[in-house]
Amino acid sequence: MGRAEERKARQRGGRRAAPGRRSSPPAAPGTPEILESPGGTTRTVRAPQAEGGTRAERRKAAAKGGAVKDGKPAKGRIRRLFTWKKMLGTFLGLCLLGIGGFIVLYMMVSVPAGNSLAQTQSNVYKYSDGSVLARKGTVNREIVDLSKVPKDVQHTFVAAENKSFYSDNGIDLKGMARGLYNTARGRGTQGGSTITQQYVKNYYLDQNQTVTRKLKELVISLKVDREKSKDEILAGYINTSYYGRGAYGIQAAAQAYYRVDAQDLTVQQGAYLAALLQAPSQYDWAVAGPIGKRLVQDRWNYTLNNMVGQGWLDKSKRDTMKFPVPKEPKAASGLEGQKGYLVDLANTQLENQLMKTQGLTRSEAEAQVVDQGWTITLNIDPKRQAKLEAAVKSQLTGKLDGKKRTVDKNVQAGAVSVDPKTGKIVALYGGIDYYKHYTNNATRADYQPASTFKPIILAAALDQDAKTQDGKEINANTVYDGTSGRPVKGSDIAFSPPNEDDADYGDITVQTAMNKSVNSVFAQMGVDVGMKNVMKVADDLGLDTTNLPAVPAQTLGSMGASPLEMAGVYATLDNHGKKVTPTVLASAEKTGRKVDPPDPIGDPVISMSAADQVTSVLTGVVDDGTAKVSVAQNPLRKGQQVAGKTGTSDNNKSAWFTGYTPDLVTSVGLFGEDYKKHSQVSLTGATGLIPGTGRINGGGYPAQIWATYTFGVTKKQKFDLNTDLGAAVQPTESPSKSETPSETPSETPSQTPTKSVPPSDTPSNSPSQSSTTTAPPSNSPSNSPSQSPTGGITDNPLDPAADDFQ
């Protein structure tokens, strides 16, 4: 071939070589071939791969990158599988499959007959022995036509729940997708439903959180939106929803919260009812805590602001609106006396369990519990319940006369009795009557527990192996300076709490300090242990310390606590440190369903030795301290071992005695609550039977109620303690030299009371009243200070000047 032909061949991409120029045998398949041109130059040409050979050889050749087909590299298996055409086809196929499945589902699922009324039925509540406590189930519902509901009030529900209600097709696809995903993952719900969907769930379906139910909800909502007008759907929604207080529907809710008919509701009132639907019990103003009240006001503001945004409410009018505080609730019939308190607590604990196990919201849990045909068995022992009620009446309420003394109208009592081995609440006192006082005094946590908190400080010290500032181990025999107003050492926050009546005790042991409830000692001990450690142990034992500051003032029991919580704390001590979470709920059953509460007995939260030493120390409070007269010297005692602690808050707004025997823990609290304004007020002067200042102390009426009840329902037993410290195993310090008893049912009685005179049912069971009340206090340390409060008392529980008495 000439040069011209060779050039043309190169231009055509050819690779022709001059014949007869090979100087070596043919190369093996896949080996590059050396070619010579007529001009003497050489070129390397990639040789073609072998077409034959085994499959393994071909794979190896392909792996080396040598496989060429039509001048292009061969594609790998994965690339051949995931081409863009195949992926697009698969996606479109899945879409078509989903659409087809939804069409089939849409055709198969029809709109069922409404069933909410048929499902609403009575709950039956039983005592632990199977006898009927109460039967609750008369449905408080009255359907009203939407025309009877003011248009502005209608808009409050739309603004609160579903602003696009009037324009959407009845469903929220994004919210449904999130709900289906969370349900499949077992995470419960996170809202997002339209008003149509909520109406469908309330009226046509049930509250079960399953994928099947949610798919039905989706289909039925689409059909209902097509078949019904928006006004019909809205009317159904506001008439079937549950608003709390046993009220179903807007008419019942209007009466329950504002004593008016639905047609007379204002926009402000309608916005509150709309806000309630998110969490009826939590947002009920009568029982809501500070957080619940803040949340419902935020929801109320959110609703009205949305109305302004939608053009349904003039902004200038909105700016003048004030939150409409609802009226006090009226209890339903059949829940008189203590029944209502017991039923409400049982419902709440059942709802809590459903929320925990099924991921329900509070509103959903309430809808599943209230009037839904449950048979609910409580742990309440009817005999002990009757004894507790009788003890409160004989020792307190029977002595109150509101016509003679206004302060008597302000006295509220609450009590909870728990079996420490099982955690069962065997008796509960919530107030004078569920109809007359809706708030449950046994579960309210808005009053200070005062000095009943001191055992928690000692428990933290013992469990943490804490030491004093000079390196001495803290136990019952550790000596502290009991000087009143002594500045606490080692704290970044200055704190100098006075003792009651500014009494100085000098150097005293922890045992004596507990007996006398000496503030200065336990304030220093709290700092020695570390207030963060103290608050953690308090939380572990059963108090809710969330967001509470770990400051020395907490040693005075300045946080809020309920008799239920304090009973749980002391039950854990009685149970040798194993956590006790008191429960009133034994079981709950309905057709095809049963709910068992969690085990009330948990793992140890403090060591056995720490718990037992605290118990040992607390026997000294009864035998040689602030509960001596009402408990230790009570003729009903008959040698029964008792541990316990009194407490009286600043300004005498609360008074406590929480005590226990080996088989029973009972916490009794008295609370001063203004009978009109419901604000906290002093108990001083109540009953008119306390001479002198008239101060109500924890060692007075609370301890008397406790003793009358406990000694009537327990058997004589001894504590089995794993400790060799404390009053239960060794004598306390010598009695005070003072032989003049206080003139009131003192929490710090004289150490030599007259034992020949048994205590009566009245405050006269205190030491003699013959002492002179006008005598100035001695300059020497006294173990029996008078009961008049000191000056400088403040209402601020975290103010260093605030005083916690005994």
Side-chain angles (χ1 to χ4, degrees):
M1 171 170 31
R3 290 189 175 181
E5 291 175 330
E6 183 177 334
R7 186 166 55 251
K8 291 179 180 180
R10 286 201 303 271
Q11 291 173 353
R12 292 194 302 268
R15 292 293 184 268
R16 299 181 57 189
R21 297 279 185 162
R22 293 186 183 275
S23 57
S24 60
T31 303
E33 186 176 1
I34 307 300
L35 302 180
E36 291 183 5
S37 65
T41 61
T42 61
R43 290 183 295 116
T44 302
V45 181
R46 191 174 184 179
Q49 297 293 323
E51 295 182 358
T54 65
R55 183 179 298 176
E57 291 173 339
R58 290 198 299 272
R59 279 202 303 269
K60 290 180 180 178
K64 294 178 180 180
V68 177
K69 185 176 181 179
D70 299 330
K72 297 180 180 180
K75 296 180 179 178
R77 183 176 301 173
I78 295 179
R79 292 184 60 196
R80 290 197 303 273
L81 182 63
F82 290 99
T83 64
W84 68 270
K85 292 181 180 180
K86 290 182 179 180
M87 293 175 66
L88 179 61
T90 301
F91 174 77
L92 294 175
L94 291 174
C95 290
L96 291 174
L97 183 63
I99 294 172
F102 182 78
I103 292 174
V104 173
L105 182 66
Y106 190 87
M107 295 175 63
M108 291 180 61
V109 175
S110 59
V111 178
N115 62 7
S116 61
L117 291 175
Q119 288 183 350
T120 302
Q121 51 188 310
S122 297
N123 285 351
V124 177
Y125 300 85
K126 296 182 177 182
Y127 287 109
S128 60
D129 65 356
S131 59
V132 175
L133 163 68
R135 194 181 299 270
K136 183 176 181 294
T138 301
V139 180
N140 183 17
R141 186 200 306 272
E142 181 181 346
I143 303 297
V144 296
D145 191 88
L146 194 64
S147 63
K148 297 290 183 67
V149 180
K151 194 69 174 179
D152 286 342
V153 174
Q154 297 177 33
H155 286 157
T156 63
F157 289 85
V158 178
E161 296 292 330
N162 181 195
K163 290 187 294 184
S164 63
F165 169 72
Y166 291 110
S167 60
D168 64 32
N169 60 3
I171 64 172
D172 177 3
L173 290 177
K174 184 182 296 184
M176 282 296 296
R178 183 173 62 250
L180 286 169
Y181 175 77
N182 288 325
T183 299
R185 296 287 301 274
R187 296 179 178 177
T189 59
Q190 293 184 1
S193 297
T194 64
I195 284 178
T196 306
Q197 288 174 264
Q198 293 181 60
Y199 165 58
V200 166
K201 180 174 63 176
N202 291 340
Y203 189 68
Y204 296 102
L205 299 172
D206 53 39
Q207 304 292 327
N208 293 330
Q209 301 302 315
T210 64
V211 173
T212 301
R213 203 276 292 157
K214 285 186 175 295
L215 290 174
K216 287 183 179 180
E217 176 186 313
L218 176 65
V219 172
I220 295 173
S221 296
L222 287 171
K223 290 189 174 183
V224 166
D225 188 73
R226 291 183 59 186
E227 297 172 5
K228 293 179 179 289
S229 68
K230 291 293 185 180
D231 281 352
E232 288 176 308
I233 293 172
L234 182 59
Y237 172 66
I238 64 176
N239 277 309
T240 58
S241 295
Y242 179 65
Y243 295 77
R245 296 192 183 183
Y248 290 86
I250 190 170
Q251 171 64 18
Q255 284 290 337
Y257 288 93
Y258 294 108
R259 310 282 194 272
V260 300
D261 290 328
Q263 63 185 4
D264 298 321
L265 286 169
T266 65
V267 177
Q268 298 95 308
Q269 293 169 340
Y272 175 77
L273 297 182
L276 271 178
L277 296 182
Q278 191 174 67
S281 290
Q282 185 182 5
Y283 290 173
D284 185 346
W285 195 262
V287 296
I291 295 178
K293 289 181 177 180
R294 176 177 59 79
L295 291 176
V296 74
Q297 289 182 87
D298 290 345
R299 184 77 173 167
W300 180 80
N301 285 313
Y302 167 84
T303 299
L304 294 178
N305 291 341
N306 278 348
M307 291 183 68
V308 173
Q310 295 294 112
W312 297 330
L313 180 63
D314 184 74
K315 188 177 187 304
S316 60
K317 186 177 180 180
R318 158 70 184 98
D319 292 340
T320 63
M321 291 181 174
K322 295 182 179 180
F323 184 80
V325 176
K327 297 182 180 298
E328 288 290 315
K330 290 183 178 179
S333 60
L335 300 179
E336 66 280 351
Q338 301 303 305
K339 293 179 182 179
Y341 303 123
L342 296 173
V343 165
D344 278 356
L345 180 58
N347 283 349
T348 298
Q349 291 192 345
L350 177 55
E351 291 163 11
N352 291 342
Q353 183 68 359
L354 293 177
M355 291 171 65
K356 180 179 179 181
T357 59
Q358 299 183 21
L360 304 181
T361 64
R362 174 63 67 180
S363 177
E364 291 168 341
E366 287 180 14
Q368 285 205 25
V369 170
V370 177
D371 299 344
Q372 292 300 306
W374 291 93
T375 297
I376 300 175
T377 302
L378 283 65
N379 289 319
I380 299 296
D381 178 345
K383 293 181 179 179
R384 290 183 174 181
Q385 179 67 28
K387 288 281 189 180
L388 180 58
E389 293 178 29
V392 175
K393 183 176 181 179
S394 67
Q395 300 303 315
L396 177 68
T397 59
K399 303 169 185 176
L400 299 175
D401 189 342
K403 294 180 179 180
K404 290 183 178 180
R405 293 169 299 277
T406 301
V407 65
D408 283 14
K409 298 180 181 180
N410 301 333
V411 179
Q412 295 294 333
V416 176
S417 188
V418 179
D419 182 335
K421 299 298 186 293
T422 64
K424 296 178 179 179
I425 298 175
V426 297
L428 179 146
Y429 186 89
I432 186 65
D433 190 295
Y434 186 67
Y435 289 169
K436 299 176 181 178
H437 188 261
Y438 189 74
T439 300
N440 189 340
N441 294 325
T443 59
R444 69 187 306 168
D446 52 343
Y447 281 81
Q448 299 176 16
S451 289
T452 58
F453 187 79
K454 286 183 170 72
I456 296 175
I457 304 171
L458 179 58
L462 297 170
D463 190 60
Q464 301 288 326
D465 294 324
K467 293 180 173 23
T468 64
Q469 296 287 319
D470 54 2
K472 295 180 180 178
E473 182 180 352
I474 299 175
N475 57 46
N477 294 333
T478 304
V479 175
Y480 272 94
D481 183 356
T483 301
S484 181
R486 171 186 175 275
V488 171
K489 297 179 180 179
S491 173
D492 294 334
I493 301 174
F495 189 51
S496 306
N499 298 326
E500 183 178 6
D501 291 320
D502 209 24
D504 291 328
Y505 294 92
D507 290 343
I508 54 173
T509 64
V510 168
Q511 177 67 71
T512 302
M514 187 72 78
N515 293 356
K516 308 300 179 187
S517 200
V518 181
N519 292 335
S520 58
V521 170
F522 287 93
Q524 183 62 62
M525 187 186 298
V527 173
D528 292 347
V529 178
M531 286 308 300
K532 288 185 179 180
N533 293 329
V534 170
M535 299 304 285
K536 181 183 183 304
V537 170
D539 194 85
D540 291 342
L541 288 172
L543 292 185
D544 183 4
T545 63
T546 305
N547 297 325
L548 290 179
V551 295
Q554 301 287 14
T555 60
L556 304 184
S558 54
M559 73 291 293
S562 68
L564 177 60
E565 288 175 316
M566 296 310 297
V569 170
Y570 280 60
T572 300
L573 296 174
D574 198 0
N575 199 31
H576 308 292
K578 292 186 68 174
K579 178 67 176 294
V580 178
T581 304
T583 178
V584 76
L585 183 66
S587 66
E589 301 179 43
K590 62 184 297 186
T591 304
R593 189 175 183 186
K594 182 178 181 180
V595 175
D596 291 316
D599 189 350
I601 306 300
D603 297 328
V605 291
I606 61 173
S607 68
M608 177 183 289
S609 61
D612 286 357
Q613 188 174 163
V614 173
T615 295
S616 181
V617 168
L618 292 182
T619 62
V621 177
V622 174
D623 294 332
D624 194 30
T626 56
K628 185 172 184 178
V629 173
S630 296
V631 181
Q633 296 179 351
N634 194 300
L636 299 174
R637 183 183 183 187
K638 298 178 181 178
Q640 173 65 63
Q641 280 198 336
V642 178
K645 185 71 185 75
T646 58
T648 309
S649 69
D650 61 298
N651 286 337
N652 202 197
K653 293 178 180 178
S654 63
W656 299 72
F657 182 73
T658 303
Y660 52 101
T661 64
D663 65 338
L664 192 64
V665 179
T666 304
S667 180
V668 180
L670 266 59
F671 313 115
E673 179 192 290
D674 186 281
Y675 74 99
K676 288 184 177 179
K677 300 178 181 179
H678 305 294
S679 57
Q680 295 189 13
V681 296
S682 176
L683 293 163
T684 300
T687 74
L689 299 172
I690 308 295
T693 64
R695 181 178 176 79
I696 304 294
N697 296 299
Y701 294 128
Q704 293 167 20
I705 293 170
W706 184 96
T708 302
Y709 162 70
T710 302
F711 295 145
V713 297
T714 58
K715 297 180 180 180
K716 184 178 178 181
Q717 297 184 46
K718 290 186 177 181
F719 289 112
D720 181 17
L721 303 178
N722 179 29
T723 182
D724 56 359
L725 293 170
V729 294
Q730 67 177 33
T732 59
E733 289 189 338
S734 59
S736 166
K737 294 180 180 180
S738 172
E739 297 182 0
T740 303
S742 169
E743 72 271 17
T744 71
S746 171
E747 290 186 31
T748 58
S750 168
Q751 298 302 305
T752 57
T754 302
K755 297 183 179 180
S756 60
V757 181
S760 67
D761 288 342
T762 72
S764 63
N765 63 0
S766 63
S768 170
Q769 301 176 20
S770 61
S771 60
T772 303
T773 59
T774 58
S778 171
N779 291 329
S780 60
S782 171
N783 286 343
S784 57
S786 65
Q787 295 298 312
S788 61
T790 64
I793 302 173
T794 174
D795 288 334
N796 182 357
L798 297 182
D799 188 326
D803 185 14
D804 164 53
F805 298 97
Q806 300 178 27

